[in-house]
Amino acid sequence: MACLLETPIRMSVLSEVTASSRHYVDRLFDPDPQKVLQGVIDMKNAVIGNNKQKANLIVLGAVPRLLYLLQQETSSTELKTECAVVLGSLAMGTENNVKSLLDCHIIPALLQGLLSPDLKFIEACLRCLRTIFTSPVTPEELLYTDATVIPHLMALLSRSRYTQEYICQIFSHCCKGPDHQTILFNHGAVQNIAHLLTSLSYKVRMQALKCFSVLAFENPQVSMTLVNVLVDGELLPQIFVKMLQRDKPIEMQLTSAKCLTYMCRAGAIRTDDNCIVLKLDHDLKHAHELRQAAFKLYASLGANDEDIRKKIIETENMMDRIVTGLSESSVKVRLAAVRCLHSLSRSVQQLRTSFQDHAVWKPLMKVLQNAPDEILVVASSMLCNLLLEFSPSKEPILESGAVELLCGLTQSENPALRVNGIWALMNMAFQAEQKIKADILRSLSTEQLFRLLSDSDLNVLMKTLGLLRNLLSTRPHIDKIMSTHGKQIMQAVTLILEGEHNIEVKEQTLCILANIADGTTAKELIMTNDDILQKIKYYMGHSHVKLQLAAMFCISNLIWNEEEGSQERQDKLRDMGIVDILHKLSQSPDTNLCDKAKTALQQYLA
């Protein structure tokens, strides 16, 4: 019954919303001008911050009526102004709202409104035009369709600080290429906007500065003109330099730097001008600090949150900027960029997509060739992620000589670099082809491998055991490696099992033995080594379940009766008392251990 009631309730709510919105539209047609004005004012209050209400009013036809009232000669200036305000509010909604307004030919109506003598109405029209023209769905060409519009906008610049702010913002968003630059330049944009750089209003100064940055972009004519422009007795380049000062907002510093850069590229400013060079050098250091801080922030934000990592990577040009940071001259910026990428590389999805799309591994490999230890530690840690089995970057990294580089890191005096070097090799060896495993063993050398197995750093030892475990996987690989390195590996295993190591180290070592026991010919190296067999027996009876289970894997692989020679191996292990231990373990309170023991006993009964 509850389900049946759901639809009528939704319809009721929808009809109430529609009725409420319809009420606002109906009032626009009231014969009493005062009631129409009040209706528009109420509509203005209703749509503020309410996108749903905006969409409803657009659907119900409010826009054509508002535009009609805005253009009617009989409408009061106050009504026209309020209509422009409401239209501007509707434009601040979604892009679909802007499209609807454009379909109703709002731009010609608002441009016509700019001919009014009333300043408040002009400001309202400009504010609405600013909102529409800064929307990505609005074609810039609409500003240039009527040749009288640009000169009229230039004339309106002197009316108020609001007309200055809105018009400059419109110009900076609608100047897209040399044709637009030429039109604005020919109508006196430089002369009309220059004095706005000294306005008391920050917003006006900022929008004027943005205008100059788009006008000067790849435009020698504009750049050459800007050099000689005087504002309150000061040349324009000097004003730009002052705007670079650190006490100015970052947005202003960066935009003024753009202006000077474009002028330098055009040859309008000498690159050896002391005033410019010293200031740009100072600001370059500041820019490095800003980039470093930004990369650090992104690294921190993306460290533990997949959604945030996705948002960072999907930000336009963000990956390009971070990758570019890897080749910065500043060590601190390079380090921060690597940390940022390392943080983002924790995402499996991004390793498979964005990191491959941007070929992040290429600049990373360059960084690893020659960098300070502090950068190498983070870069090599990131390389560990790029070498994970599912990463499409793994193959090209292998082809670029990573094995030699990583083997070199394992010889570093820095423990963190030794850990990362061996860790990356461990990831590289996981489910790898025999050739890759052979390359690793050849480049690393048996001597270095055993030096790492006796390393005083526990992390180095654990990752080296992990590498050995990955190398000794799949039977043909196990037999091949043990045929050439068996004696040394068995010796190393013995030393670790006899040494004063923690549970995790000994568990990993027993797992290596279990892998060797899975080989076809390699298992004989265990069966002919009574010392190793006694150690496996000892750990089957150990007090720690992890070690018992690892030892059980060794025994299971040795006695599996489907394999050649299993009967002889079973007999030898029975004589050692292994079957008695299995019976005892089959009564263990640990379910996993109990099951493994019972499975092993079945091999004797089969």
Side-chain angles (χ1 to χ4, degrees):
M1 292 294 290
C3 292
L4 293 174
L5 288 171
E6 188 173 324
T7 302
I9 288 173
R10 287 183 176 175
M11 288 177 65
S12 173
V13 171
L14 181 60
S15 61
E16 285 177 18
V17 171
T18 307
S20 171
S21 301
R22 169 64 67 187
H23 172 66
Y24 287 115
V25 177
D26 289 344
R27 291 170 69 187
L28 300 181
F29 293 87
D30 196 289
D32 185 342
Q34 197 58 40
K35 289 183 178 178
V36 173
L37 174 60
Q38 190 56 50
V40 175
I41 293 171
D42 291 343
M43 184 183 288
K44 175 182 70 176
N45 295 330
V47 298
I48 293 173
N50 189 335
N51 280 345
K52 189 173 183 181
Q53 185 69 280
K54 291 175 184 180
N56 284 337
L57 290 171
I58 290 172
V59 169
L60 292 169
V63 176
R65 183 60 181 173
L66 288 167
L67 287 172
Y68 172 80
L69 294 171
L70 183 140
Q71 297 175 87
Q72 273 296 96
E73 291 184 9
T74 55
S75 296
S76 67
T77 303
E78 186 180 4
L79 175 58
K80 290 180 180 181
T81 304
E82 292 294 346
C83 286
V85 171
V86 173
L87 289 165
S89 186
L90 294 177
M92 286 182 183
T94 63
E95 289 183 2
N96 284 333
N97 288 9
V98 177
K99 288 177 183 177
S100 297
L101 293 171
L102 291 172
D103 290 342
C104 292
H105 307 291
I106 188 173
I107 290 179
L110 292 170
L111 291 174
Q112 187 66 28
L114 298 182
L115 299 175
S116 168
D118 188 87
L119 181 57
K120 291 294 180 186
F121 179 44
I122 290 172
E123 289 174 347
C125 288
L126 283 171
R127 191 182 303 114
C128 186
L129 283 166
R130 179 272 310 268
T131 304
I132 291 170
F133 275 118
T134 55
S135 169
V137 302
T138 306
E140 297 85 13
E141 289 301 328
L142 292 176
L143 183 66
Y144 304 95
T145 305
D146 184 341
T148 65
V149 170
I150 300 299
H152 186 63
L153 289 173
M154 293 293 178
L156 290 175
L157 278 170
S158 61
R159 295 295 298 274
S160 74
R161 71 181 183 89
Y162 295 111
T163 63
Q164 293 166 352
E165 177 191 341
Y166 303 148
I167 292 170
C168 285
Q169 198 168 358
I170 291 168
F171 285 164
S172 63
H173 273 82
C174 294
C175 186
K176 305 287 185 183
D179 291 343
H180 297 164
Q181 288 172 326
T182 300
I183 293 171
L184 293 174
F185 179 79
N186 289 343
H187 283 96
V190 173
Q191 293 75 17
N192 284 295
I193 296 172
H195 72 279
L196 302 182
L197 291 171
T198 58
S199 169
L200 294 176
S201 165
Y202 169 75
K203 288 183 177 180
V204 172
R205 295 199 305 277
M206 196 61 238
Q207 294 306 328
L209 188 58
K210 286 181 178 179
C211 271
F212 282 121
S213 73
V214 296
L215 284 169
F217 178 66
E218 295 183 350
N219 194 311
Q221 182 186 21
V222 174
S223 296
M224 291 296 184
T225 303
L226 294 181
V227 175
N228 299 312
V229 174
L230 280 171
V231 180
D232 295 341
E234 200 167 20
L235 287 170
L236 211 52
Q238 292 173 324
I239 292 176
F240 291 151
V241 169
K242 284 185 176 179
M243 287 180 162
L244 283 170
Q245 291 173 357
R246 293 189 66 171
D247 63 337
K248 297 294 188 292
I250 292 171
E251 183 185 31
M252 179 173 281
Q253 293 181 54
L254 294 176
T255 310
S256 55
K258 278 184 184 179
C259 293
L260 288 167
T261 301
Y262 299 152
M263 293 168 75
C264 283
R265 286 177 184 170
I269 299 176
R270 294 201 331 272
T271 53
D272 60 349
D273 186 310
N274 284 337
C275 176
I276 301 297
V277 170
L278 291 174
K279 182 57 191 162
L280 284 176
D281 180 60
H282 172 272
D283 254 51
L284 188 61
K285 291 176 183 176
H286 186 213
H288 284 160
E289 291 172 6
L290 292 174
R291 278 197 289 277
Q292 179 191 352
F295 290 150
K296 280 185 176 179
L297 175 61
Y298 286 130
S300 178
L301 288 172
N304 301 304
D305 193 304
E306 177 64 17
D307 289 336
I308 292 177
R309 284 195 286 265
K310 189 171 184 288
K311 286 178 182 176
I312 292 171
I313 288 172
E314 288 178 351
T315 301
E316 188 177 2
N317 299 324
M318 183 55 70
M319 281 297 285
D320 291 331
R321 289 172 187 159
I322 301 172
V323 170
T324 301
L326 295 178
S327 56
E328 280 278 1
S329 58
S330 165
V331 172
K332 290 183 177 179
V333 175
R334 290 208 309 276
L335 176 59
V338 173
R339 279 181 176 155
C340 185
L341 283 171
H342 180 239
S343 176
L344 298 175
S345 72
R346 291 189 174 102
S347 167
V348 173
Q349 177 63 27
Q350 302 310 329
L351 280 176
R352 285 175 169 162
T353 55
S354 299
F355 275 68
Q356 182 65 9
D357 295 341
H358 292 83
V360 172
W361 65 271
K362 288 183 180 179
L364 183 68
M365 290 299 288
K366 285 184 181 178
V367 168
L368 285 163
Q369 300 296 334
N370 183 25
D373 274 10
E374 57 182 344
I375 292 180
L376 279 178
V377 168
V378 186
S380 56
S381 183
M382 178 183 160
L383 191 63
C384 292
N385 292 344
L386 292 178
L387 285 168
L388 288 167
E389 185 261 339
F390 51 76
S391 170
S393 301
K394 183 174 182 177
E395 189 173 337
I397 290 173
L398 284 168
E399 292 171 355
S400 69
V403 174
E404 291 79 7
L405 186 150
L406 294 170
C407 289
L409 289 182
T410 68
Q411 300 179 36
S412 170
E413 293 182 5
N414 187 327
L417 286 177
R418 293 203 301 278
V419 169
N420 289 345
I422 204 72
W423 194 343
L425 289 170
M426 181 186 81
N427 289 350
M428 189 184 286
F430 181 73
Q431 295 185 352
E433 298 174 358
Q434 173 63 37
K435 180 184 180 302
I436 294 171
K437 292 181 178 180
D439 286 346
I440 292 172
L441 280 169
R442 184 175 58 254
S443 298
L444 190 60
S445 81
T446 309
E447 293 76 15
Q448 177 60 11
L449 181 65
F450 298 122
R451 272 196 292 271
L452 293 167
L453 286 172
S454 58
D455 199 292
S456 59
D457 188 285
L458 177 60
N459 289 324
V460 173
L461 173 57
M462 284 296 288
K463 296 307 174 194
T464 307
L465 290 171
L467 169 62
L468 257 180
R469 191 172 172 181
N470 286 348
L471 289 171
L472 294 166
S473 63
T474 72
R475 285 181 179 175
H477 298 176
I478 295 168
D479 291 334
K480 177 70 176 174
I481 291 171
M482 292 305 291
S483 69
T484 53
H485 300 85
K487 184 179 178 181
Q488 298 96 320
I489 289 174
M490 295 301 289
Q491 185 180 3
V493 165
T494 303
L495 289 172
I496 292 172
L497 290 177
E498 288 178 347
E500 294 294 322
H501 296 290
N502 64 28
I503 298 297
E504 284 71 25
V505 169
K506 294 197 173 184
E507 180 192 16
Q508 279 291 316
T509 308
L510 286 167
C511 286
I512 290 169
L513 273 179
N515 284 11
I516 295 169
D518 192 42
T520 302
T521 57
K523 56 168 52 81
E524 289 307 310
L525 288 166
I526 297 176
M527 292 304 301
T528 56
N529 190 324
D530 289 341
D531 188 24
I532 286 289
L533 288 174
Q534 287 298 330
K535 284 179 170 54
I536 294 172
K537 178 182 176 181
Y538 166 76
Y539 284 109
M540 285 178 74
H542 199 277
S543 59
H544 203 290
V545 174
K546 278 187 176 182
L547 296 182
Q548 288 179 292
L549 279 169
M552 276 293 308
F553 277 117
C554 295
I555 295 298
S556 295
N557 286 342
L558 290 171
I559 65 174
W560 203 256
N561 57 32
E562 294 177 1
E563 296 171 9
E564 187 179 347
S566 61
Q567 188 61 54
E568 290 82 357
R569 290 191 294 275
Q570 286 181 8
D571 291 345
K572 181 171 183 177
L573 293 172
R574 180 190 282 110
D575 293 343
M576 286 179 58
I578 295 297
V579 174
D580 295 334
I581 298 174
L582 289 175
H583 278 295
K584 185 178 178 181
L585 293 178
S586 68
Q587 306 300 317
S588 170
D590 185 272
T591 308
N592 202 6
L593 186 58
C594 173
D595 290 344
K596 291 287 184 294
K598 288 178 180 178
T599 301
L601 284 169
Q602 287 172 1
Q603 300 303 307
Y604 276 94
L605 300 173

